[in-house]
Amino acid sequence: CDVWERVSTGILTTESTRSPSSIGDYKITGRDSLVFLVDASKEMFIKGEDGEPSNFDMTMQVVRTVYTSKIISSDKDLVALVFYGTEESKNPRNSFKHVYVYHDLSEPGAKRVQEVDALRGEKGAKLAAETIGSGETSLGDALWCCANLYSDIKLRLSHKRLMIFTCRDEPHGGDSVKDRQARTKASDLKETGVVIDLMHLMKPGGFDISLFFCDIVSPPEDESELGLQLQPSDKLEDLLKRVRAKELKKRALARLNLCLGEGINVAVGIYATAVAARKPGSIKLYRETNEPVRSKTRTFHTQTGSLLLPSEIKKAQYYGGKEIVMERDEVDAIKKFDDPGLFLIGFKPMEKLKLHHHIRPAVFLYPEEDEVKGSSCLFSALLKKCSERNVFALCRFISRRNYPPRFVALLPQNEELDEGKVQITPPGFNVIYLPFADDFRTLDPPQFPSASQTQVDKMKEIVSKLRFKYRSEGFENPVIQQHFRNLEALALDMMAPEEIEDLIMPKVDQIDQRLGPLVQEFKDLVYPAYYNPESKPAAKRKTADTGGGAEKKPKVELTEDELKAHVQNNTLVKLTVPVLKDACKQFGVRTTGTKKQELIDALIARLRS
Amino acid sequence: MRKHGLKTAVVLCMDVGLTMSNSAPGEESSFELAKKVIQKFVQRQVFSETKIELALVLFGTDSTDNPLSQDGQYQNIRVHRHLRIPDCELLIEIENQVQPESKEGDWLDALVVCMDLLHTETKGKKYDCLNIALLTDLNTQTNEESLEVIINNLTQSGITMQFFLPFPVEEDKEGQGDSERRDPGHPGTGKGLSREQKKNMELVKEMMLSLDVEDGLDEIHTFRNAIEELCMFKRVERRPVAWPCQLTIGSSLSIRIVGYKAVTDEKPKKMWITVDAQSHQKDDVKRETVYCLDDDNETEVQKDDIIQGFRYGSDIVPFSKVDQEQMKYKHDGKCFAVLGFTKQSAVIHRHQFMGSQILKIFAARDDEHAGVALSALIRALNELQMVAIVRYAYNRTSNPQVGAAFPCIKQDSECLMYVQLPFMEDLRHFTFPSLENKKFTPSDAQLSAVDSLIDSMMLVEEDENGEQRDLFKPHRIPNPAFQRHFQCLHHRAVSPGTPLPPIEPWLKAALDRPEVITERCQDPLDVLKRKFPLTEVEKKKKLKTSAQIFEESEAKKVKEDEAEEYNLANIAEGSVTSVRIRGRQLTHRIEQLLSNKNTQYYMKSITCIQAFREQSVKLANAEHYNSYLQSLKGSIPNRGLEVFWELLVQGMICLFT
C-alpha cells in the first residue's frame, strides 16, 4: 500500500527513501481486513449476575479496543462491524433482512470509535434496541452479506478474517434449512480465502460447538484439535486475548535459510515480536483546503540547474585531508559479505549469554515448511535438544541483501498455553543480537566501599515492601497515548483530550506509605546527618580536569559606535549579561543592579544623554 | 605504539637497508613485513582521526637527508616526513615511495636523528607522550659507544621506545637451556642470527631494561605479531559521557548516581555525502523538495502554505506544530525513579529487552555516601535475585521509558545495569502452530543425531587444567562492516581507479566457524543429513515477488529477442528530439504491449516507461511523462492491470535504489 503511494509521489525521485531500521524488505501486497459479525439477539443483552456486563457490552468493548489499536498500530487495515439477528435491516442493496451493517469495510476513524462507544453500557443497550433491535436470525444471509462487503472493496486484500461473536450455539433453533444455507455460505467464504473464527461467549448450560459451529469456522492452522477445545469466554480480558491473538496477521520480515552445514538448510521465517511503537510521522497539508500535498524530490546540478541522473552522482567520505570517492554501487558492495541467511557457528551453554550483551530488540524464528519440506522436523529437534541441554546456538546472521553480518544467539523457547488453552508463548527460537568489540565503551568505574550487611538488610526490607508482579503489557507509552488522545479530541471536536494515566510515573504516595519509617532508618544507616543527596556536589573539579581556566572565551569589546547602534535598533537585549557588564565598565556606567534589564536601562540612559 | 595520550608524537623509524630485503624462499622479507606494520599503523590513525602526530624516518637509504648529517656522520638516514598529523598523502607516499634501498644505516645513529627531530619539533608545545618505534632486522654495524648517552637522553626527555624485529627477543630466564625453544612462526630466531644481530640484540635489551619502564622487554615486538594486532582497525572509540541524576525510591529516598552508556549499537561516524560524478564536489549537487497538490496540473504549493497534520485512522487531523508542542506529553525531565521491584528470572524476558543500549549506573563520583547507599541497593537486589523497575528519562525533551535495573557485582566494582523494557504498544502477540504435531515430531534416532551435533559443536570446553576455554567470542571481534569500510577507503585513497580489493582473509576467518569445530562436526553433520531429509519445495506456481521477476527478466532481456528490443531502443534513445514525439511513440508502444496480459509483455512496457522517464529526466521535462503515468494509473482497475502496475512499482523502485 505504501509502495503504491510512493510511486505516485516519487515519480521523479532519484533516490528512494528506504527506511533503514527494519530488517527484511518483505513486500506487503495488500490490506488486511477484519469483519466483526456480532449476534444482536436478545440473549446477547442479558446481563450477568452481580451486574456483570452483557455479552453484547463485552463485545463492543472488544471492538472498540481493536478499532483504537488499529488506528495506532496499523491504520491501513480495514475493519467492518455487522450485526445479525436484528430487527432492523441495513445493508448495501438492502437485500438481506435482519442483517445490519453498522460499519462497512474501511479504515477505522474517530467517528467510528465514537459510534461503537455509543453502543456500550446501559445507554448503549438502549440505543441498540432502538436502532437495530433483536429479531429473526439467518446466519446464512449474514455471511452472504459479509461476502458482498469483501467483494465491494476495490483494494487488494491480503488477509481476510471474519469473527463471529455469539452466545447461541444453535442460532436457528434447529431449522435445518437455515443451518444448511449458513454452512454453504460459510464454505463459499472460506473458498475465497476468508478465515472464519468463532468468539463464542458464555451462556447458561455451556456452549456446544459441535451442534452447529464446527462446520462454520475455518480449521485451525495446525490441524490439531486445539482451536475447538476452547472454553467460551466469560471475561473481557479473556475475550480480548483471544481476539488479539487472531486479529494481527503475523508477517515474516524475511524468509531465509538456517544453514547447519553444507547442504543442510532449514527454511525459517523471521518475525518481529517487539517493535518500538512510535508516533506516526506527520503529513503535509495545503493550508487553504487541508488536503494532503505530495512531495517531489529532485537532485540537480547547482551550476547548470539540470537534473542529475543516478549515474551522474557519486558518494564520498572525507578522511585525512582527502575526498575518497566511490561509485554508488560500490558503497553497497562494500557492505556485502555474503547472501542473506543464518549460518551455525556452534553451541554454548546458556550462562555464556551475558545479560548486558544487548544492542537491539530480538526477533523470532519459526520454521517454514512450505519452503523446505522437513524444516519443521529438524527445527523441532533442534529446539527440543537446545532446550533440554540448556544451550543456545551461535549463528552468523545476514538479514538482507548488502547487509553486513552480525552474530546472534538463538535461544530456545518452548510453547506455553494458559488454562484456556490459549497460546501464551509460541514455540521457536528467540534471536538475540550480540555486540561486536566496537559496541562496548571503556568505562572507568568509580570505586567505593561496599555496604555492610546491616545496610544491605535494611534495603532488603525496602525492596520486599515494594515488590510487585511485573507484566510486560502493564505499561502504556504515555507519549503515544497522549498524542492519539490529542488527535482524537481534535478529530471529534472535543473540548479537551481525555486524560491519560501515566502508568510509568512512580506512585510516590503509595510508596511512601508502604515504606513508612524504613526510609529514615535506611538513611540513618548510610547517610551522615549533614548529608543531603538532593544538593549539588560541593566542589566542582571541572577546572582541574580541563586544564585550567585558559578556556575562557575572549572578551568581546564593543566600540562606542556599535553600542550606539544597538541602542538605536533596540538590539541590546541580544547581548549577553557579561558583555553588557563589560560595556558598563567601559563607559563608566555605574549600575546598582545586575539584572539584564537594569544593565540595559543604565546603558541606554548613559548613551542617550 | 599503542599509547594514545591526549597529545602524542610518534616517530616511525624504519630500516630500508640492504639486508632488510633478504628473505627465505616463499617468505615475505623483513622489509615487506615492516612496511605492512607501518601501513597498518598509519591507516589506523588516519581513519580513526586521532590527533596523534607522526614523523617518518628511513635509514639504510641511498641518499642522506637529515639535519645532523655532517662530515660523513649520520649518513644514509633520511627524514621522510616531519612531525604532522598523518593523512592520506602519507599513506600514498608509504605505498609508492618507501622502497627497499641498498645501503646500510646505523640504527643507533637513526635513533639519535629521531630524538633530535622530537626535540626540535615538539619544543614549546606540551605532549603527553613521545615515542619512537624502530623497525629493523638489526643486521648493521653499530657504534655502541654512544649507547649510554642515548639512554640518558631518552630517560631525560621522557621518550619511550618500541622495537619491531623479525625475531622474538629471548629472555634470559633461569633455565638457560631452552634457548632452542623457538617460535615456528618466526624464522631467523636463535642460531640463525648473524653476529651483528646478536650483538645488537644485546644492545636493544640493555637499552630497554635501563629505560624507566616496567618490563621494557614487552615493548619488543615481532613484525608478525604487530601486523596481526594492527590488522584490526582500532575499534571505533567514543568517550563515555556521564549522565548525573538521582535514583529515587518514593519521595524521600534518593541516591546520587551517574550513568554511562556501556554497550550500544555503534554506527559509523561518517555518512556518505553525495558528490557530482565529474567534479567530485558536493557543492555541485543540490537536492530540492517541492510540494504539489494531487490534481491533474500538479499545482505547486509554496512551503509557507503547508501545515502539518496527522492521520487518525481514516481521518486527517490538521495539527500545527505550536498546538502539538502545547498539547504533547510533558514531564519533569531527567529521572531514574523506582516504580517497584520484581523477581529477576521469572518475569523479565531476555527477548523483550528494548532499545539499543545498556546503561551502567554508578554512585556519583567522589560521593562515598552515595556509594554506600547504592551498594546496599545493588547487594540487596543481588541477594534477593530481584530487579528494580524504573522510569527513566534522559532529559526533558526525550521520551520517558520503563526499564529494568539489574544488580551487577564484579570484583572491583558494583553497578546497576539498566535496560529498556517494552511498552504495551510495542508487543505483538503472534500465535504459531504448535510443533507438537505428529507430522513434525522427530524420532529418537533423529534426536540423538542432533545431540551428537551439539556435542561436536560446543564452543566452550574445558582444557586439561579444568579451565574453560571459549573458542568463539563475538564481542572480541571488531565490527567487520567497519573493518571492510576502512580497508576499501584506504585502497581507494592509495590506488584510485582500481577495483576494490576482496575482503581480507583474516577477517573472513574471524567470522567463520573455528577450524577445530569444522573438523569435529563433519561426521555428525553427515549423519544429520541422512537422518533429516530436507527437500526444497518446488512450487507449481511459485509466487515470485515482483522484484524477482523484474530482476530475472532484466537479466534475460539482453539476450532474448533482440529483434523486439531494437525497436524499443530506437524509440527510447532519442538524441535531442522533443520529448513529446518520443513520448507519443513510446506511449503508443506501451499501450500496444499492454493489450497482451502476460508478464513478458509487461516487462517490455516497463522498459518503455523507464526509457520515457529517463528521457524526461534528461531533458528536464517531466510533464508528459507524469501525466501519462497518472492516466495510466487511473486506468489500471478498469483494465485489470493490477499485476502489471505492481511490477512497474517494483521495477521503478529497483532502479531508484
Side-chain angles (χ1 to χ4, degrees):
Chain A
C1 47
D2 285 347
V3 177
W4 191 283
E5 280 162 19
R6 246 164 58 195
V7 114
S8 55
T9 57
I11 280 169
L12 274 179
T13 312
T14 44
E15 274 168 327
S16 86
T17 45
R18 229 191 317 178
S19 80
S21 56
S22 67
I23 68 162
D25 248 342
Y26 192 63
K27 198 164 61 73
I28 298 163
T29 47
R31 308 276 194 98
D32 281 0
S33 63
L34 172 62
V35 173
F36 293 107
L37 182 56
V38 181
D39 187 356
S41 66
K42 291 218 163 53
E43 288 88 333
M44 287 289 286
F45 289 93
I46 298 170
K47 273 211 225 154
E49 292 157 32
D50 320 324
E52 294 269 306
S54 70
N55 279 327
F56 186 84
D57 200 0
M58 210 159 78
T59 306
M60 286 308 107
Q61 173 69 47
V62 169
V63 172
R64 190 213 200 254
T65 312
V66 172
Y67 271 24
T68 44
S69 80
K70 287 271 182 210
I71 286 174
I72 294 180
S73 61
S74 30
D75 65 353
K76 295 278 186 250
D77 289 3
L78 306 178
V79 190
L81 176 57
V82 181
F83 297 110
Y84 71 97
T86 56
E87 180 56 40
E88 303 298 319
S89 309
K90 182 177 170 244
N91 44 68
R93 288 168 275 279
N94 277 324
S95 39
F96 304 104
K97 288 256 153 54
H98 308 295
V99 180
Y100 197 104
V101 177
Y102 197 69
H103 290 147
D104 59 5
L105 260 184
S106 89
E107 298 146 358
K111 198 156 158 275
R112 290 193 161 196
V113 175
Q114 264 188 334
E115 286 162 358
V116 172
D117 270 339
L119 293 176
R120 286 166 57 198
E122 200 81 37
K123 272 192 196 161
K126 229 178 113 199
L127 180 71
E130 283 162 17
T131 49
I132 58 177
S134 301
E136 274 176 55
T137 301
S138 165
L139 193 60
D141 280 351
L143 292 172
W144 195 345
C145 176
C146 293
N148 286 351
L149 288 184
Y150 283 116
S151 57
D152 285 349
I153 288 294
K154 289 282 172 289
L155 296 161
R156 190 163 154 170
L157 299 176
S158 55
H159 179 65
K160 296 181 264 192
R161 198 174 270 278
L162 186 140
M163 289 182 184
I164 305 175
F165 291 77
T166 184
C167 58
R168 294 185 297 159
D169 46 11
E170 283 184 292
H172 308 119
D175 181 335
S176 61
V177 179
K178 278 188 172 176
D179 277 359
R180 184 152 26 85
Q181 194 211 355
R183 277 196 287 268
T184 320
K185 283 299 151 204
S187 72
D188 286 354
L189 266 175
K190 284 183 271 189
E191 221 155 83
T192 59
V194 177
V195 179
I196 303 178
D197 290 316
L198 177 65
M199 296 295 152
H200 51 311
L201 304 155
M202 204 46 127
K203 80 168 183 73
F207 195 109
D208 189 352
I209 296 173
S210 64
L211 286 178
F212 170 68
F213 274 102
C214 55
D215 295 330
I216 299 292
V217 298
S218 304
E221 276 178 276
D222 52 351
E223 293 172 39
S224 73
E225 302 298 286
L226 199 71
L228 295 177
Q229 285 168 354
L230 285 172
Q231 295 297 311
S233 307
D234 58 347
K235 282 199 214 72
L236 177 65
E237 214 176 298
D238 237 38
L239 184 62
L240 250 179
K241 216 179 347 175
R242 271 170 62 192
V243 172
R244 273 272 158 79
K246 298 271 179 182
E247 167 248 317
L248 258 181
K249 168 77 182 157
K250 51 181 187 285
R251 280 212 170 89
L253 294 173
R255 295 199 169 82
L256 32 83
N257 283 336
L258 164 60
C259 176
L260 306 186
E262 180 84 45
I264 310 179
N265 292 315
V266 179
V268 291
I270 307 231
Y271 299 84
T273 47
V275 183
R278 283 175 209 292
K279 262 196 304 194
S282 64
I283 39 180
K284 294 192 162 52
L285 307 174
Y286 181 42
R287 184 192 291 279
E288 303 294 320
T289 56
N290 281 348
E291 65 180 304
V293 296
R294 303 192 287 121
S295 67
K296 290 194 280 193
T297 306
R298 300 187 176 116
T299 307
F300 59 90
H301 197 277
T302 322
Q303 265 127 56
T304 65
S306 63
L307 286 175
L308 290 169
L309 286 174
S311 60
E312 293 168 314
I313 289 170
K314 287 187 184 181
K315 294 286 176 182
Q317 287 195 347
Y318 191 81
Y319 273 108
K322 209 175 155 80
E323 199 108 82
I324 304 173
V325 180
M326 304 246 180
E327 300 291 340
R328 283 154 39 98
D329 57 342
E330 283 177 328
V331 172
D332 280 335
I334 289 174
K335 286 186 270 174
K336 176 167 178 157
F337 283 71
D338 213 333
D339 290 327
L342 280 151
F343 178 77
L344 177 67
I345 301 287
F347 298 88
K348 282 190 187 187
M350 205 57 87
E351 69 266 15
K352 284 282 158 189
L353 180 68
K354 296 285 178 273
L355 197 67
H356 64 285
H357 286 188
H358 166 76
I359 46 165
R360 65 173 79 153
V363 290
F364 184 73
L365 219 59
Y366 189 83
E368 293 278 336
E369 192 70 13
D370 294 348
E371 306 272 328
V372 174
K373 205 161 168 285
S375 291
S376 293
C377 183
L378 181 45
F379 188 93
S380 171
L382 210 53
L383 185 65
K384 201 166 185 170
K385 278 295 159 194
C386 283
S387 171
E388 239 173 65
R389 303 181 53 164
N390 204 27
V391 296
F392 66 85
L394 184 74
C395 292
R396 188 177 65 219
F397 179 32
I398 295 178
S399 56
R400 56 199 261 192
R401 231 152 55 92
N402 292 340
Y403 260 52
R406 272 277 175 192
F407 286 99
V408 292
L410 306 191
L411 269 53
Q413 172 174 292
N414 293 318
E415 185 181 22
E416 271 178 65
L417 308 175
D418 71 1
E419 322 82 64
K421 297 256 166 104
V422 176
Q423 193 177 63
I424 314 172
T425 54
F429 285 100
N430 285 306
V431 181
I432 310 285
Y433 286 88
L434 300 175
F436 282 120
D438 308 73
D439 300 322
F440 292 87
R441 300 201 176 176
T442 328
L443 304 180
D444 169 27
Q447 313 253 323
F448 295 108
S450 296
S452 71
Q453 197 55 46
T454 336
Q455 292 162 329
V456 173
D457 288 342
K458 190 50 79 183
M459 184 49 95
K460 273 160 91 173
E461 286 182 51
I462 293 180
V463 169
S464 307
K465 282 271 186 221
L466 299 180
R467 201 172 155 152
F468 78 112
K469 191 164 187 292
Y470 169 83
R471 287 185 318 123
S472 50
E473 312 83 31
F475 300 99
E476 284 181 334
N477 186 340
V479 177
I480 292 184
Q481 291 298 332
Q482 182 70 60
H483 176 75
F484 281 101
R485 298 291 164 93
N486 291 344
L487 290 181
E488 193 180 57
L490 288 168
L492 301 175
D493 282 329
M494 288 154 61
M495 289 297 286
E498 216 180 306
E499 288 277 323
I500 63 154
E501 191 191 350
D502 187 346
L503 294 168
I504 59 166
M505 208 55 182
K507 300 187 173 60
V508 175
D509 294 340
Q510 272 185 37
I511 292 177
D512 288 352
Q513 209 191 340
R514 278 218 202 172
L515 294 181
L518 279 175
V519 171
Q520 196 51 51
E521 287 164 28
F522 177 75
K523 286 210 274 196
D524 290 345
L525 282 174
V526 295
Y527 293 154
Y530 60 85
Y531 178 82
N532 177 10
E534 323 268 337
S535 69
K536 291 257 168 190
K540 279 265 180 192
R541 304 150 299 113
K542 210 168 189 174
T543 40
D545 267 354
T546 49
E551 284 186 320
K552 262 197 180 169
K553 278 185 191 161
K555 273 187 186 174
V556 192
E557 293 241 305
L558 290 169
T559 64
E560 192 166 354
D561 286 345
E562 283 174 303
L563 204 61
K564 275 185 177 157
H566 276 300
V567 172
Q568 230 147 45
N569 303 330
N570 230 350
T571 47
L572 273 181
V573 267
K574 287 188 179 170
L575 301 176
T576 61
V577 172
V579 172
L580 290 170
K581 270 189 184 165
D582 285 341
C584 285
K585 256 186 222 156
Q586 203 181 329
F587 296 102
V589 179
R590 269 202 233 143
T591 53
T592 44
T594 49
K595 290 227 174 81
K596 189 167 186 177
Q597 197 54 49
E598 287 170 334
L599 296 169
I600 292 173
D601 291 344
L603 277 171
I604 291 174
R606 167 77 169 77
L607 289 165
R608 286 234 168 106
S609 63
Chain B
M1 267 206 220
R2 266 166 288 132
K3 288 175 189 138
H4 304 289
L6 282 174
K7 201 161 179 199
T8 303
V10 175
V11 185
L12 298 175
C13 182
M14 179 178 161
D15 189 350
V16 294
L18 188 62
T19 58
M20 286 291 280
S21 308
N22 295 343
S23 67
E27 274 175 12
E28 282 176 297
S29 68
S30 293
F31 171 83
E32 283 162 43
L33 291 171
K35 180 166 165 174
K36 261 193 197 163
V37 173
I38 288 193
Q39 271 179 324
K40 295 277 179 195
F41 178 72
V42 176
Q43 194 182 55
R44 216 188 222 214
Q45 303 310 324
V46 170
F47 292 115
S48 60
E49 300 197 307
T50 50
K51 295 284 169 268
I52 186 170
E53 289 177 25
L54 214 66
L56 178 60
V57 173
L58 305 175
F59 66 102
T61 50
D62 299 341
S63 61
T64 300
D65 179 10
N66 70 72
L68 302 182
S69 63
Q70 222 178 6
D71 312 328
Q73 282 199 302
Y74 297 103
Q75 291 305 293
N76 307 105
I77 301 170
R78 195 169 78 216
V79 177
H80 185 88
R81 179 184 261 234
H82 292 271
L83 214 51
R84 249 168 68 187
I85 289 177
D87 48 20
C88 288
E89 214 46 54
L90 181 59
L91 281 176
I92 296 169
E93 282 168 25
I94 294 171
E95 173 80 17
N96 301 323
Q97 293 170 26
V98 174
Q99 298 300 344
E101 303 192 27
S102 54
K103 289 286 174 346
E104 204 177 84
D106 181 338
W107 66 271
L108 277 174
D109 277 359
L111 189 51
V112 174
V113 171
C114 293
M115 286 160 66
D116 172 68
L117 183 148
L118 275 180
H119 261 292
T120 47
E121 296 185 16
T122 62
K123 207 179 273 170
K125 287 186 267 178
K126 265 192 127 176
Y127 287 82
D128 300 283
C129 173
L130 301 175
N131 182 256
I132 297 171
L134 201 67
L135 301 95
T136 175
D137 61 357
L138 294 177
N139 217 346
T140 54
Q141 300 266 341
T142 327
N143 176 9
E144 59 190 283
E145 286 154 30
S146 51
L147 185 68
E148 203 167 318
V149 187
I150 291 176
I151 291 173
N152 277 337
N153 230 309
L154 285 171
T155 319
Q156 266 168 28
S157 41
I159 296 174
T160 53
M161 282 296 306
Q162 282 177 307
F163 282 90
F164 294 84
L165 308 174
F167 41 82
V169 62
E170 276 166 51
E171 288 177 66
D172 302 314
K173 290 242 167 99
E174 55 275 23
Q176 285 280 355
D178 61 13
S179 62
E180 285 300 304
R181 182 187 59 143
R182 38 182 290 184
D183 193 330
H186 300 105
T189 328
K191 285 177 194 158
L193 296 191
S194 69
R195 204 157 50 84
E196 273 86 16
Q197 282 174 318
K198 279 185 185 151
K199 191 184 102 191
N200 280 317
M201 196 65 214
E202 288 312 307
L203 297 179
V204 168
K205 277 200 239 175
E206 192 183 336
M207 176 188 286
M208 292 312 279
L209 289 173
S210 38
L211 284 176
D212 190 19
V213 201
E214 246 179 86
D215 233 346
L217 295 186
D218 282 356
E219 290 301 335
I220 306 177
H221 311 270
T222 63
F223 290 147
R224 278 178 201 282
N225 284 346
I227 291 170
E228 263 169 44
E229 234 173 271
L230 285 165
C231 251
M232 304 189 184
F233 271 104
K234 201 173 126 112
R235 59 195 181 93
V236 176
E237 250 183 60
R238 271 162 224 232
R239 282 177 165 274
V241 181
W243 178 76
C245 190
Q246 280 168 5
L247 182 153
T248 57
I249 305 175
S251 66
S252 51
L253 179 52
S254 53
I255 303 172
R256 289 179 49 221
I257 53 164
V258 57
Y260 294 96
K261 253 185 213 180
V263 183
T264 184
D265 193 352
E266 210 67 71
K267 299 274 191 281
K269 277 188 191 170
K270 289 193 176 174
M271 302 288 283
W272 288 101
I273 49 173
T274 304
V275 298
D276 180 70
Q278 243 110 60
S279 66
H280 290 186
Q281 293 298 309
K282 71 160 189 251
D283 293 342
D284 284 347
V285 179
K286 207 178 160 195
R287 269 173 77 96
E288 177 197 66
T289 305
V290 292
Y291 301 96
C292 59
L293 295 180
D294 198 8
D295 56 14
D296 290 344
N297 300 325
E298 301 205 305
T299 320
E300 217 174 283
V301 177
Q302 292 309 304
K303 259 213 167 97
D304 296 344
D305 289 330
I306 287 171
I307 55 168
Q308 109 176 324
F310 287 92
R311 241 175 236 291
Y312 183 78
S314 53
D315 308 320
I316 292 174
V317 182
F319 195 10
S320 71
K321 284 215 170 88
V322 184
D323 287 345
Q324 198 196 351
E325 191 53 39
Q326 192 146 46
M327 289 172 75
K328 79 168 189 201
Y329 174 85
K330 290 184 199 76
H331 60 98
D332 298 334
K334 175 191 275 206
C335 93
F336 199 81
V338 172
L339 305 179
F341 300 95
T342 195
K343 267 275 166 215
Q344 231 177 74
S345 53
V347 199
I348 308 286
H349 297 298
R350 174 66 208 249
H351 63 270
Q352 288 189 340
F353 284 10
M354 299 295 290
S356 59
Q357 61 177 25
I358 296 281
L359 294 181
K360 282 194 175 172
I361 308 286
F362 301 95
R365 258 172 218 281
D366 302 328
D367 187 337
E368 205 171 289
H369 310 304
V372 173
L374 191 68
S375 164
L377 176 60
I378 294 167
R379 289 181 172 260
L381 289 175
N382 191 53
E383 286 175 24
L384 294 167
Q385 283 297 295
M386 292 180 78
V387 296
I389 301 293
V390 297
R391 171 197 179 90
Y392 161 76
Y394 180 73
N395 64 19
R396 240 179 140 60
T397 51
S398 65
N399 294 334
Q401 307 173 352
V402 61
F406 290 82
C408 166
I409 299 178
K410 291 226 174 103
Q411 217 162 27
D412 53 346
S413 71
E414 298 173 355
C415 69
L416 288 173
M417 283 194 306
Y418 169 83
V419 63
Q420 189 185 350
L421 293 174
F423 284 116
M424 187 265 278
E425 294 90 338
D426 305 338
L427 294 171
R428 299 181 186 178
H429 297 280
F430 295 142
T431 40
F432 289 85
S434 174
L435 289 173
E436 300 289 323
N437 185 318
K438 277 168 240 134
K439 278 195 292 182
F440 308 137
T441 312
S443 67
D444 287 347
Q446 285 176 319
L447 283 173
S448 85
V450 171
D451 239 342
S452 42
L453 180 75
I454 295 179
D455 283 335
S456 72
M457 293 185 80
M458 280 310 281
L459 294 164
V460 181
E461 47 185 25
E462 272 184 17
D463 62 11
E464 53 275 25
N465 303 326
E467 267 175 63
Q468 270 204 349
R469 220 156 56 96
D470 192 337
L471 297 173
F472 199 88
K473 293 180 175 168
H475 63 280
R476 296 260 187 257
I477 300 174
N479 189 338
F482 299 163
Q483 301 293 322
R484 172 80 177 137
H485 183 80
F486 292 130
Q487 182 208 358
C488 290
L489 284 179
H490 180 198
H491 175 90
R492 183 51 49 88
V494 170
S495 333
T498 58
L500 296 177
I503 297 170
E504 288 183 297
W506 73 267
L507 185 57
K508 266 206 141 109
L511 299 174
D512 224 334
R513 210 177 263 175
E515 260 174 57
V516 225
I517 299 286
T518 311
E519 275 169 37
R520 252 184 1 210
C521 70
Q522 209 44 60
D523 292 342
L525 275 176
D526 287 341
V527 176
L528 198 78
K529 203 169 178 176
R530 282 200 302 275
K531 292 270 193 261
F532 289 92
L534 291 164
T535 40
E536 210 165 315
V537 177
E538 280 293 335
K539 297 222 170 128
K540 279 158 257 148
K541 229 176 129 188
K542 198 175 175 189
L543 286 173
K544 282 179 194 157
T545 65
S546 331
Q548 277 172 319
I549 299 179
F550 193 81
E551 266 169 35
E552 279 170 23
S553 41
E554 274 290 284
K556 263 190 271 170
K557 189 176 75 184
V558 190
K559 287 179 218 155
E560 227 178 54
D561 54 16
E562 281 167 342
E564 181 67 50
E565 218 55 55
Y566 89 90
N567 256 327
L568 300 178
N570 270 357
I571 302 172
E573 273 175 31
S575 46
V576 207
T577 344
S578 99
V579 193
R580 194 171 310 161
I581 298 171
R582 296 270 163 234
R584 208 184 298 143
Q585 287 175 356
L586 277 166
T587 53
H588 180 65
R589 188 86 185 105
I590 294 165
E591 294 300 316
Q592 253 182 359
L593 288 166
L594 282 181
S595 53
N596 299 294
K597 283 191 187 158
N598 172 309
T599 315
Q600 197 70 40
Y601 287 95
Y602 287 167
M603 295 318 295
K604 284 173 186 158
S605 328
I606 290 172
T607 316
C608 281
I609 291 176
Q610 280 162 359
F612 192 2
R613 179 181 169 280
E614 262 159 44
Q615 278 296 309
S616 308
V617 172
K618 219 179 251 172
L619 300 163
N621 182 346
E623 217 178 288
H624 294 282
Y625 170 71
N626 281 340
S627 71
Y628 173 67
L629 224 58
Q630 280 301 329
S631 74
L632 181 62
K633 186 184 159 192
S635 72
I636 294 298
N638 290 337
R639 298 162 71 182
L641 285 171
E642 284 85 1
V643 178
F644 158 74
W645 185 255
E646 195 158 277
L647 280 169
L648 174 66
V649 170
Q650 271 303 312
M652 292 314 228
I653 286 164
C654 283
L655 275 188
F656 299 170
T657 40

